[in-house]
Amino acid sequence: MKILVINAGSSSLKYQLYDMTDESVLAKGLVERIGMDSSIVTHKPTGRPDVTEVSEILEHTTAIRKVLALLTDKENGVIESVDEIQAVGHRVVHGGEFFKESALVDAEAKSKIRQLFDLAPLHNPASMLGIKATEANMPGVPQVVVFDTAFHQTMPETAYLYAIPRVLYNKYKVRRYGMHGTSHDFVSKAAADFLGRPLEDLKIITCHIGNGASLTAVDGGKSVDTSMGMTPLEGLMMGTRSGDLDPAIVPYVMNKEELTVNEVNSMLNKHSGLLAISGISSDMREITEGMEKGDAHSKLAFDMYEYRLRKYIGSYAAALNGVDVIVFTAGVGENSVVLRKKVCENLTYLGVELDEELNAVRSGEPRRISSRNSKVEVLVVPTNEELVIARDTNRIVQSLNA
Ligand code: ADP
């Protein structure tokens, strides 16, 4: 079965075409600047040179039409006909309390995703555009939605409720949902596989640290706590997001600076984190470079990022009453040798012992970076959210045909 995985943003659309017989990627790509002058399409057929095109793509339906044309193109295509694509899987950020797992797209699922627009105003409307655009271009092809929040629906009330009037939960479902669920799910399973130990027996802390960053406490394969909250702003310090702060700062700053709700939201989501403290960049590579050149602000940004990450690991070790495995994943987690080193150096009280040589190895495979004596296994596991979406889509569509 060939499955197209789509991750639609408000002005972008990422895609990957999978052949599920061997889970290989036939092609992937990105449409950027949808709805703006000169959209850019980057198409990457596996094993062949990338193709970049600039054209006018005003909305998502045209974007998908363009993607399908590239996938079937005589020269740069990887399939003969669109009919070969038997299902489409979509990444959807917010599944609220409706979706505890991935689901087939039908009228009910669409209505629920729409009801969640309020909770994820930047993300869910974009996913809906992707779903509608797929329907328009590929009528009758089954679609599946895979949610960032679903894996965290196993959290207990103690972890997901905020200590604010209950009426806000009852009326508006204000609570912790958590994000990056497909990644936390994937890497925790992959860690157990790598170690050859049953997932049910393991207490795992998964650190997904990319542009956005979140930690999850996984007990016996289930998410029991996670650092992102009702929105992706809570928790760790991130590239441009503040992470945790005293909520009273928000009205205080709004008052002093005469900021609107949108302005303060934008400050905390887009102008905070590594970017704000370093004054240079939201990208950990540039922060590390700055630090190595002796830039004090970059060093402070790095130190705060590491300090907050390590505090969260400590709090999740407490939440789990112990930890067997710590997993690093995503852009920073998979690549930053120095961040992993600093974090692990400060976790010796848990019995963590890093093997510096193993930590310096670069590979796209799951690997151990702790020493043989370490009481906690520390692993680097490359995440693959698209593969999870393709697998879930495959499973749900196969069950339809059964
Ligand atoms: P997203 O959250 O957008 O999916 P990624 O998981 O791809 O992001 O992570 C992107 C981030 O990974 C970049 O902003 C960069 O800071 C970080 N990164 C990538 N490579 C390295 C590296 N070699 N060293 C440190 N950080 C890196």
Side-chain angles (χ1 to χ4, degrees):
M1 162 133 51
K2 295 200 177 79
I3 289 176
L4 181 62
V5 172
I6 290 178
N7 182 351
S10 53
S11 66
S12 70
L13 189 138
K14 288 188 201 147
Y15 62 93
Q16 290 205 12
L17 182 65
Y18 276 90
D19 182 345
M20 294 311 285
T21 47
D22 57 359
E23 294 188 337
S24 59
V25 175
L26 300 174
K28 61 180 166 182
L30 169 66
V31 186
E32 292 168 280
R33 300 175 54 86
I34 299 172
M36 301 177 209
D37 292 345
S38 36
S39 313
I40 305 164
V41 188
T42 313
H43 175 67
K44 302 179 174 206
T46 304
R48 279 184 277 154
D50 297 359
V51 183
T52 303
E53 284 182 14
V54 176
S55 62
E56 184 113 333
I57 297 179
L58 290 178
E59 33 70 63
H60 287 66
T61 308
T62 323
I64 293 201
R65 192 178 314 131
K66 180 84 205 160
V67 169
L68 295 175
L70 281 163
L71 289 171
T72 52
D73 183 72
K74 286 262 171 306
E75 217 174 309
N76 302 307
V78 290
I79 49 174
E80 303 245 311
S81 144
V82 173
D83 299 340
E84 287 175 50
I85 304 172
Q86 283 151 299
V88 178
H90 295 271
R91 174 190 181 215
V92 182
V93 166
H94 223 302
E97 288 186 336
F98 291 130
F99 296 99
K100 298 187 187 338
E101 51 194 34
S102 306
L104 190 72
V105 175
D106 55 14
E108 193 189 334
K110 280 190 277 190
S111 146
K112 287 174 176 165
I113 295 170
R114 255 188 236 108
Q115 288 172 55
L116 294 164
F117 278 9
D118 236 13
L119 276 178
L122 297 178
H123 297 105
N124 276 28
S127 307
M128 189 54 89
L129 289 175
I131 293 168
K132 292 254 173 213
T134 307
E135 265 170 13
N137 282 289
M138 306 167 77
V141 174
Q143 302 187 68
V144 167
V145 272
V146 179
F147 300 91
D148 268 30
T149 51
F151 179 61
H152 301 302
Q153 280 293 302
T154 48
M155 278 188 291
E157 262 185 337
T158 36
Y160 75 67
L161 281 183
Y162 292 111
I164 55 175
R166 178 101 193 184
V167 65
L168 297 171
Y169 172 66
N170 295 341
K171 274 171 87 173
Y172 309 115
K173 295 286 173 214
V174 173
R175 52 159 284 180
R176 175 183 311 286
Y177 292 95
M179 310 286 152
H180 297 140
T182 41
S183 177
H184 291 292
D185 185 14
F186 178 82
V187 300
S188 53
K189 287 192 175 112
D193 281 352
F194 175 84
L195 295 168
R197 292 170 64 183
L199 185 60
E200 297 69 39
D201 296 348
L202 293 174
K203 295 176 182 194
I204 308 179
I205 298 174
T206 48
C207 313
H208 176 110
I209 30 184
N211 275 323
S214 70
L215 244 71
T216 298
V218 184
D219 198 353
K222 293 199 161 56
S223 168
V224 294
D225 205 349
T226 192
S227 62
M228 282 183 170
M230 186 172 93
T231 76
L233 183 58
E234 194 182 346
L236 299 165
M237 179 170 162
M238 308 177 213
T240 62
R241 287 178 225 154
S242 64
D244 295 338
L245 81 167
D246 178 349
I249 292 171
V250 175
Y252 183 83
V253 172
M254 284 176 82
N255 191 26
K256 289 280 179 199
E257 292 281 310
E258 296 181 7
L259 297 182
T260 63
V261 171
N262 281 345
E263 284 165 344
V264 78
N265 232 336
S266 158
M267 176 190 90
L268 295 172
N269 279 290
K270 298 190 181 143
H271 306 287
S272 295
L274 286 175
L275 177 63
I277 300 297
S278 71
I280 291 179
S281 170
S282 62
D283 190 311
M284 186 50 98
R285 282 167 292 205
E286 289 178 40
I287 302 295
T288 313
E289 262 175 50
M291 181 168 72
E292 282 160 3
K293 286 186 192 140
D295 176 60
H297 293 130
S298 299
K299 176 161 169 27
L300 177 61
F302 180 93
D303 288 348
M304 282 175 67
Y305 190 95
E306 182 274 323
Y307 177 63
R308 285 165 171 239
L309 175 56
R310 132 165 76 105
K311 281 208 299 185
Y312 254 104
I313 293 176
S315 80
Y316 282 2
L320 289 164
N321 190 16
V323 53
D324 302 306
V325 189
I326 297 171
V327 181
F328 287 98
T329 193
V332 180
E334 289 168 34
N335 295 300
S336 181
V337 175
V338 54
L339 181 80
R340 294 194 304 254
K341 177 170 170 334
K342 282 279 186 258
V343 170
C344 290
E345 276 174 1
N346 284 301
L347 296 176
T348 47
Y349 74 99
L350 287 174
V352 168
E353 201 182 287
L354 187 74
D355 181 319
E356 292 210 23
E357 269 177 39
L358 293 180
N359 185 40
V361 171
R362 293 197 181 272
S363 112
E365 298 297 316
R367 60 194 188 277
R368 179 187 275 111
I369 58 169
S370 49
S371 74
R372 289 280 159 195
N373 295 328
S374 183
K375 290 205 183 75
V376 179
E377 300 273 11
V378 186
L379 308 181
V380 176
V381 179
T383 194
N384 196 340
E385 289 158 287
E386 291 76 16
L387 180 58
V388 177
I389 297 173
R391 282 180 181 166
D392 275 16
T393 304
N394 191 30
R395 179 175 49 77
I396 289 173
V397 172
Q398 298 279 8
S399 73
L400 283 181
N401 301 333

